[in-house]
């Protein structure tokens, strides 16, 4: 066969080989097979330079978020013999986080992720290590509260990751929707695996193992994340004539449309907090207390899977129009756990009901975070998303208290009405404030 001249394309079409076997004509094509199907949305997402590196580092840093509270409860209750003390210490840390986290996020937006997140993480890590030492060496009770309160400086790693996606994908609404869906699925995965890992470490090694491993993962992940400077969002200009300073930018809390979003986050946090406490109480009353973690993990798994599927959809129309429908679906599906608990009184049907109910969580949170990003002023994105997380934490605390009171003073079955009522409240807020 004649050869093409040097420098020309040497790709030639492959004709099929024809042969005859008995009375049958056989055609064999030895040509290379190529895939013509275009890459999926998640594969396209991670084709952007630097995205895989910062995502992997952020996942390592985010996993301990589901470990610390469980580890603290196991560690304190195991050595001091008081779940009430353990709950009070973790509640104090939650309250301190609600106060400190927005200020930490504001500093991140103003001075950059690397400059603020690293020292803030080191302070939080020292707080966790101080708590470990105070528990280990039987320090006074007040030192437990002070140590755990110091962990409130932990930066919002999920918010920083979303801020990077928002910076990299500015103007590409479809890819940003996929990125937000991935981040929500990652949140669900970390909060599903974190408590399981913490309980395993504390139970099989020693009571302080969960806290110790969590500190190592947090510091390692944040340091690796901060080292990815090529994808870090730029900080707003300062100290230049005519430049807009950070303090002149409107606070995210005062931005149009933000207060209703935060109110919905508060109600949705009550859904999450009450569901967790009520499920623990229901499993305990049914004699399967150790299975409660697996049942709650199923709910998170349903949300994670739905989030990944939701990210593959190409949605049309503004997020404001989808928002009430997502919350309505969540409210409707939350009737299933109440029905399963009331009609069967068994843990297996309840687990299935929670799995299905969890499938509406991620789409709702993805849409919520998309609206938060849209309504947050430029230069304050991390602060805006941290305000949403803070509202969720406040709702979780209120929902846990309401669910626990109902489970104790009425019945665990009737207490499943608390998350349903909280979801209905979120729906009413969304309907009343959606244009």
């Amino acid at each position: 066969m004649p050869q093409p001249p040097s420098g020309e394309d040497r790709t030639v079409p492959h004709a099929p080989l024809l042969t005859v076997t008995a009375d049958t004509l056989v055609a064999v094509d030895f040509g290379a097979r190529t895939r013509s199907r275009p890459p999926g949305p998640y594969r396209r997402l991670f084709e952007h330079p630097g995205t895989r590196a910062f995502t992997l580092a952020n996942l390592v840093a985010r996993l301990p978020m589901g470990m610390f509270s469980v580890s603290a409860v196991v560690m304190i209750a195991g050595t001091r013999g008081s779940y009430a003390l353990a709950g009070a210490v973790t509640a104090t840390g939650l309250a301190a986080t609600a106060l400190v986290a927005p200020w930490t996020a504001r500093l991140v937006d103003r001075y950059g992720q690397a400059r603020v997140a690293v020292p803030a993480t080191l302070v939080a890590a020292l707080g966790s290590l101080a708590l470990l030492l105070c528990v280990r060496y039987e320090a006074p009770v007040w030192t437990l509260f002070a140590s755990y309160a110091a962990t409130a400086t932990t930066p919002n790693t999920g918010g920083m990751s979303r801020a990077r996606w928002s910076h990299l994908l500015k103007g590409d609404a479809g890819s940003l929707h996929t990125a937000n869906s991935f981040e929500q699925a990652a949140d669900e995965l970390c909060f599903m695996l974190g408590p399981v890992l913490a309980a395993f470490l504390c139970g099989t090694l020693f009571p302080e193992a969960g806290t110790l491993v969590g500190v190592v993962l947090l510091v390692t992940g944040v340091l690796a994340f901060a080292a990815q400077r090529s994808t870090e969002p730029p900080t707003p200009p300062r100290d230049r004539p005519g430049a807009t300073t950070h303090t002149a930018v409107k606070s995210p809390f005062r931005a149009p449309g933000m207060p209703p979003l935060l109110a919905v986050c508060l109600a949705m946090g009550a859904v999450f907090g009450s569901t967790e406490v009520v499920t623990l109480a229901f499993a305990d009353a049914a004699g399967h207390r150790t299975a409660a973690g697996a049942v709650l993990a199923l709910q998170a798994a349903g949300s994670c899977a739905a989030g990944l599927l939701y990210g593959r959809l190409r949605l049309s129309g503004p997020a404001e129009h989808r928002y009430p429908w997502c919350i309505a679906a969540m409210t409707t599906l939350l009737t299933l756990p109440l029905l399963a608990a009331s009609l069967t009184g068994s843990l297996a049907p309840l687990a299935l009901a929670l799995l299905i109910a969890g499938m509406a969580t991620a789409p709702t949170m993805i849409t919520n975070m998309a609206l938060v990003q849209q309504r947050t002023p430029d230069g304050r994105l991390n602060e805006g998303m941290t305000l949403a997380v803070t509202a969720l934490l406040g709702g979780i605390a209120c929902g846990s208290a309401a669910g626990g009171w109902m489970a104790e003073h009425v019945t665990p079955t009737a207490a499943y009405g608390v998350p349903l009522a909280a979801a209905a409240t979120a729906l009413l807020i969304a309907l009343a404030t959606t244009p």
Side-chain angles (χ1 to χ4, degrees), residues 23 43 94 102 109 126 160 173 207 250 282 312 375 384 401 413 419:
D23 59 349
R43 184 178 173 184
L94 185 64
D109 285 330
L126 290 175
M160 292 192 297
K250 183 185 296 185
F282 185 89
R312 297 182 64 88
R375 298 176 184 180
T413 297

Side-chain angles (χ1 to χ4, degrees), residues 10 36 87 91 93 128 159 178 254 304-305 318 327 332 334 361 369 380:
R10 296 176 179 269
S36 60
S128 293
T178 302
R254 297 190 179 98
C304 180
I327 302 176
T332 302
L334 279 172
T361 300
M369 285 300 179
R380 306 289 285 268

Side-chain angles (χ1 to χ4, degrees), residues 316-334:
S316 60
E320 287 89 348
H321 295 170
R322 297 191 298 272
Y323 195 41
W325 289 102
C326 290
I327 302 176
M330 184 177 181
T331 305
T332 302
L333 291 180
L334 279 172

Side-chain angles (χ1 to χ4, degrees), residues 76-344:
I76 296 173
T79 56
R80 300 295 177 102
S82 173
Y83 278 99
L85 175 61
V89 171
T90 55
T92 300
L94 185 64
T97 299
L99 293 174
V100 175
W103 293 96
T104 304
R106 182 175 299 180
L107 293 175
V108 168
D109 285 330
R110 184 173 185 179
Y111 297 107
Q113 294 182 353
R115 292 182 62 185
V116 176
V118 172
T121 298
L122 294 178
V123 172
L126 290 175
S128 293
L129 293 176
L131 175 67
L132 186 153
L133 294 174
C134 290
V135 172
R136 181 78 172 178
Y137 294 102
E138 300 182 356
V141 170
W142 68 266
T143 61
L144 307 184
F145 290 91
S147 299
Y148 204 66
T151 65
T153 62
T154 305
N156 179 11
T157 51
M160 292 192 297
S161 184
R162 288 179 171 91
R164 293 200 179 205
W165 286 118
S166 183
H167 166 62
L168 295 172
L169 304 174
K170 184 174 294 184
D172 188 350
S175 295
L176 187 57
H177 165 70
T178 302
N180 285 334
S181 301
F182 172 82
E183 290 296 328
Q184 186 60 40
D187 280 342
E188 300 290 348
L189 183 64
C190 290
F191 279 100
M192 178 176 64
L193 297 179
V196 176
L197 178 59
F200 172 78
L201 292 171
C202 295
T204 58
L205 298 179
F206 47 90
E208 298 86 0
T211 299
L212 191 59
V213 172
V215 168
V216 172
L217 290 174
L218 176 63
V219 173
T220 302
V222 170
L223 289 176
F225 179 80
Q228 312 300 319
R229 303 301 293 269
S230 63
T231 54
E232 183 177 352
T235 56
R238 301 186 307 274
D239 301 327
R240 284 192 341 205
T244 300
T245 61
H246 183 83
T247 54
V249 179
K250 183 185 296 185
S251 169
F253 187 79
R254 297 190 179 98
M258 278 293 285
L261 284 179
L262 297 179
V264 171
C265 286
L266 187 68
M268 291 181 63
V271 173
F272 305 148
S274 59
T275 300
E276 181 176 352
V277 171
V278 173
T279 300
L280 290 171
F282 185 89
D284 194 12
H288 300 287
R289 184 177 184 180
T290 56
V295 173
L296 291 171
L298 280 176
Q299 183 185 22
S303 180
C304 180
L308 292 175
L309 179 61
Y310 191 67
R312 297 182 64 88
L313 302 178
R314 286 293 168 256
L315 304 175
S316 60
E320 287 89 348
H321 295 170
R322 297 191 298 272
Y323 195 41
W325 289 102
C326 290
I327 302 176
M330 184 177 181
T331 305
T332 302
L333 291 180
L334 279 172
T335 61
L336 298 179
L338 179 60
L339 291 174
S342 302
L343 298 178
T344 68

